[in-house]
Amino acid sequence: MSTLTQSPAWLALRAHQMVMAQQRLRTLFQQDSRRFEKYSLSFDDILMDFSKQPINQETIDLLLALAHQQQLKYWIDRMFAGDKINSTEQRAALHIALRGDQPVYTDGEDVMPAVKRVLSQMTRFVSAIQSGESAGYTGKKITDIVNIGIGGSDLGPAMVADALKPYWTHGVIPHFVSNVDGAHLSQILQRLDPATTLFVIASKTFTTQETLANAHSARTWLLAQGAGENDIARHFAAVSTNRVAVEQFGIDPDNMFEFWDWVGGRYSLWSAIGLPVALAVGMENFHALLAGARELDRHFATAPLDKNLPVMLGLIGIWQINFFGATSHAVLPYDQSLHRFPAYLQQLEMESNGKGVTRDGERVDYSTGTIVWGEPGTNGQHAFFQLLHQGTQTVSADFLAPCRSHYPLGNHHRMLLANCFAQSEALMAGKSAHAVRMEMEAQGLDAESIRRLLPHKVFVGDRPSTTLLFNQLTPTTLGALIALYEHKVFVQSVIWNINPFDQWGVELGKQLAGDILNDLSREQLATAHDASTNGLINHFKSHH
Ligand code: G6Q
């Protein structure tokens, strides 16, 4: 048994869960008219309502006791101080510095001058592209950006660029290619004019197989369309920590944007990895995104834990995962602009907290990172919500919605939000056998039909959710929302005593794919693997 699951705070929560599991959420609402006020928090224009979670004041007190026991404040301070909290890679985790305005030291050096220098370089580059001063090889203005990157070098900027589409007012359209499947790059290039296309090769290491393959194919395409070797410099930029590899690829060092090993891939959208976003929405809006995150960082670092949004969001997740046995977590944005948000969070949460050993290398005996999934509402309602309402799994859910849409269209936004609120209400309250019977009687159904149908139409309720409402999806609000989830993930990692900033599972995939690529290219049959893998390799070779 681990010290965590035997600790006083953990055992107290376990005992308390047995009490709370007997409580009906709808009864808790009936008993306390101030439940919403008591169990919701605000930060700037973000309202976080967690009153539809199975909690009372004692739950919060016990969760906070767990946070104190696990030294949450100490770990928050260490992250902000630039300590090397990513212990397996001996690195700091300083995404907060990328949007910061105060000196932050790691290895005795303030990182802020370098951060500011790259932001200034981005400003010059963005302005030159947007104004047409840096044009393509025929002298035409660049109109399309293709970001080539994968994982952390794709999901963040792709999600943000999509979410901020109303701010694409600079005549530059961003596209994102990640998959090594040739279909991804080919389908995008089919629509583009090489003379007006700029490629941004985004790779922290500049060694990732998929990204380099796509980058080489993009270059071949450009040359095949009439550009010369000397034109490459006008059409390629790179974002990386690996200057040598970027130069070897032939990218002009002036068009290389640096970042640093203290920025994790999935935490890097605030760095020059955000370049395609900045090109599409302009530097002013990119700075607004950073400012939103910076404000949330300040809140995270200074607000009391019980008033701290990321802390409470993280602790509620712990309550669900470790005490109520939630098997997954649904992210349900009622905002089409956030349609990539669940995929982005999937990486953030599952890559950060999908770990089975503690910081000290001990195997854990409790659940850590959960499965994150989701789709925008209302689409999900016509697909998987059935399982949320009546399935046998415990799934916790976050609903996210803006009060104002960027796309005012008739009554659409009211209808959207009506669905959002109705779903969380139905999940919480359910529909009792009595209510179902009354409904069917009113419809004139006979007793036999009622008896037969009744169990199918009952909703047990008590399905937990948290709702995040914000005024409008502006760059500032989006920055704050993303930072909220980044810090939520950190809070949970501290409770679980795991390192959220490494990703050995990803590294394994990179290594294995390289080995098997050699087998696929060889004449001889593969024999070095297990029978299944050899069989699959050899089948592919004979059918390719
Ligand atoms: C993120 C992960 C991973 C990484 C990609 C791309 O935290 O480390 O998703 O971002 O594997 O790596 P490169 O940016 O080095 O190409």
Side-chain angles (χ1 to χ4, degrees):
M1 285 286 169
S2 67
T3 40
L4 178 58
T5 53
Q6 291 309 301
S7 64
W10 192 275
L11 293 174
L13 277 162
R14 194 181 278 167
H16 177 63
Q17 188 273 340
M18 294 195 198
V19 178
M20 291 310 288
Q22 305 304 316
Q23 305 265 0
R24 306 304 311 263
L25 275 171
R26 57 173 182 258
T27 313
L28 294 179
F29 275 98
Q30 282 155 8
Q31 286 169 348
D32 185 355
S33 61
R34 295 195 60 254
R35 186 169 172 83
F36 171 73
E37 287 77 15
K38 279 188 189 161
Y39 305 118
S40 58
L41 289 173
S42 291
F43 171 76
D44 278 356
D45 71 333
I46 302 175
L47 167 73
M48 183 173 111
D49 169 25
F50 48 100
S51 58
K52 291 193 182 86
Q53 294 284 346
I55 54 167
N56 60 17
Q57 190 53 48
E58 189 182 350
T59 324
I60 293 184
D61 293 343
L62 292 174
L63 286 167
L64 290 170
L66 178 67
H68 289 302
Q69 175 191 283
Q70 298 304 100
Q71 299 186 288
L72 177 59
K73 190 71 186 91
Y74 162 80
W75 282 99
I76 295 173
D77 291 347
R78 285 195 69 191
M79 178 170 75
F80 280 88
D83 284 2
K84 293 190 174 172
I85 55 175
N86 176 0
S87 51
T88 60
E89 296 182 299
Q90 272 305 301
R91 291 174 183 170
L94 280 181
H95 40 291
I96 48 114
L98 297 170
R99 57 237 189 178
D101 58 4
Q102 300 295 317
V104 186
Y105 291 85
T106 190
D107 280 330
E109 198 182 324
D110 179 10
V111 301
M112 290 314 289
V115 170
K116 295 221 168 91
R117 190 181 65 237
V118 175
L119 278 169
S120 303
Q121 188 193 356
M122 285 171 70
T123 305
R124 288 193 300 276
F125 187 78
V126 167
S127 143
I129 294 289
Q130 287 178 346
S131 67
E133 182 195 327
S134 279
Y137 68 94
T138 63
K140 282 200 206 158
K141 183 176 177 297
I142 296 291
T143 55
D144 292 90
I145 308 294
V146 181
N147 187 80
I148 295 182
I150 195 164
S153 300
D154 167 73
L155 284 160
M159 179 275 286
V160 172
D162 244 23
L164 298 183
K165 222 175 225 174
Y167 299 84
W168 294 7
T169 51
H170 299 267
V172 178
I173 307 293
H175 310 265
F176 292 84
V177 173
S178 52
N179 202 334
V180 75
D181 182 343
H184 204 177
L185 182 65
S186 304
Q187 286 172 4
I188 286 176
L189 293 186
Q190 267 165 22
R191 308 198 296 263
L192 299 181
D193 175 357
T196 57
T197 299
L198 171 77
F199 294 96
V200 176
I201 314 302
S203 176
K204 181 173 169 181
T205 55
F206 227 78
T207 56
T208 304
Q209 189 194 64
E210 295 94 323
T211 300
L212 289 183
N214 277 322
H216 281 288
S217 296
R219 182 197 165 119
T220 306
W221 174 80
L222 192 75
L223 295 174
Q225 304 281 318
E229 283 286 346
N230 291 342
D231 300 321
I232 295 289
R234 293 167 174 272
H235 289 270
F236 276 84
V239 185
S240 187
T241 57
N242 188 346
R243 182 170 290 277
V244 176
V246 169
E247 283 179 19
Q248 272 167 7
F249 184 88
I251 292 177
D252 183 348
D254 283 351
N255 288 353
M256 163 163 173
F257 297 83
E258 188 191 2
F259 69 116
W260 308 273
D261 68 2
W262 41 261
V263 185
R266 57 196 170 278
Y267 297 88
S268 64
L269 71 91
W270 321 97
S271 71
I273 288 288
L275 186 63
V277 175
L279 284 160
V281 305
M283 263 330 260
E284 204 180 306
N285 286 316
F286 189 71
H287 276 292
L289 180 84
L290 301 184
R294 177 164 64 244
E295 289 311 311
L296 202 291
D297 293 343
R298 248 182 221 135
H299 167 80
F300 181 50
T302 57
L305 299 190
D306 63 332
K307 300 278 181 289
N308 197 309
L309 270 71
V311 170
M312 291 312 298
L313 196 60
L315 291 177
I316 285 162
I318 296 283
W319 183 228
Q320 281 300 336
I321 295 167
N322 297 110
F323 298 94
F324 275 85
T327 49
S328 71
H329 182 68
V331 178
L332 308 166
Y334 275 65
D335 186 339
Q336 189 59 31
S337 300
L338 284 175
H339 78 114
R340 298 284 288 151
F341 199 59
Y344 164 77
L345 282 189
Q346 209 164 48
Q347 178 187 30
L348 179 66
E349 301 218 7
M350 294 172 73
E351 201 168 284
S352 297
N353 283 341
K355 311 285 164 65
V357 295
T358 65
R359 291 178 186 274
D360 310 313
E362 301 287 328
R363 188 138 286 283
V364 300
D365 63 356
Y366 42 87
S367 294
T368 58
T370 194
I371 294 166
V372 175
W373 56 283
E375 278 289 321
T378 60
N379 297 2
Q381 289 172 214
H382 300 266
F384 53 76
F385 269 52
Q386 166 61 37
L387 183 146
L388 301 186
H389 285 291
Q390 290 187 307
T392 54
Q393 310 235 350
T394 303
V395 180
S396 62
D398 285 355
F399 289 85
L400 295 99
C403 296
R404 287 198 305 274
S405 170
H406 281 289
Y407 304 93
L409 185 65
N411 209 22
H412 285 230
H413 200 63
R414 275 206 185 84
M415 286 159 68
L416 179 71
L417 275 274
N419 274 281
C420 176
F421 302 153
Q423 287 296 325
S424 66
E425 183 177 41
L427 287 167
M428 179 275 289
K431 196 170 182 183
S432 67
H434 176 69
V436 173
R437 178 180 298 281
M438 301 274 285
E439 200 176 273
M440 288 197 284
E441 280 173 3
Q443 288 164 355
L445 266 72
D446 59 64
E448 171 52 19
S449 300
I450 292 178
R451 187 196 61 74
R452 191 168 46 80
L453 287 174
L454 193 121
H456 300 278
K457 296 198 166 205
V458 168
F459 293 75
V460 286
D462 289 318
R463 312 259 155 149
S465 71
T466 297
T467 298
L468 289 153
L469 275 185
F470 41 93
N471 289 355
Q472 192 169 37
L473 194 62
T474 62
T476 315
T477 298
L478 181 62
L481 273 177
I482 300 169
L484 168 61
Y485 276 94
E486 283 180 347
H487 296 323
K488 167 212 159 170
V489 167
F490 181 60
V491 167
Q492 295 188 333
S493 77
V494 171
I495 302 296
W496 291 323
N497 190 24
I498 57 177
N499 177 6
F501 297 117
D502 60 11
Q503 55 283 312
W504 298 105
V506 180
E507 314 301 340
L508 174 71
K510 291 186 180 184
Q511 187 188 329
L512 296 180
D515 293 349
I516 291 194
L517 183 60
N518 293 335
D519 287 325
L520 293 183
S521 316
R522 248 183 241 123
E523 287 270 313
Q524 302 93 321
L525 289 181
T527 53
H529 305 268
D530 59 87
S532 162
T533 311
N534 287 335
L536 293 170
I537 292 172
N538 294 332
H539 182 90
F540 169 82
K541 279 155 79 125
S542 59
H543 288 77
H544 183 50

